[in-house]
Amino acid sequence: MGHNYVIVVLPETIIQILLIAMIIGVVSLTVWQWKNERRRKKAIEGLESVATKYEQAYDRMFEKAE
C-alpha cells in the first residue's frame, strides 16, 4: 500500500511566508540603497580631492608666473 502524503498549507502560513518574503525584500533593498549611497559619497570625495589638487597646481603655476 502506497502512502499518499497531502501537504496542507493554511492561509495563515501563506500570509506568514508572504510577510517574511516582503521583509527580506525591504531589508535587501535598504542595504543595497545604503551601499550605493556610500559608494556615491566616496566617488564625490575622490572627485573633490582631485579637483583640489588641480586647483592647487593651477594656483602654483600662476604664482610662479607673476
Side-chain angles (χ1 to χ4, degrees):
M1 281 191 353
H3 292 285
N4 291 333
Y5 293 103
V6 178
I7 299 171
V8 179
V9 180
L10 298 171
E12 297 91 33
T13 313
I14 294 172
I15 291 170
Q16 285 176 344
I17 291 169
L18 286 173
L19 276 173
I20 291 169
M22 259 178 46
I23 290 168
I24 291 171
V26 168
V27 168
S28 61
L29 270 174
T30 306
V31 168
W32 178 72
Q33 237 178 347
W34 176 71
K35 281 184 177 179
N36 275 351
E37 189 65 26
R38 269 190 35 207
R39 213 174 289 136
R40 193 179 67 82
K41 281 183 182 173
K42 281 183 182 176
I44 289 172
E45 286 170 6
L47 283 173
E48 284 174 346
S49 70
V50 168
T52 305
K53 286 177 186 172
Y54 274 108
E55 284 174 356
Q56 289 170 349
Y58 189 80
D59 289 343
R60 275 189 298 240
M61 271 177 24
F62 281 97
E63 281 175 12
K64 289 179 181 175
E66 291 173 356

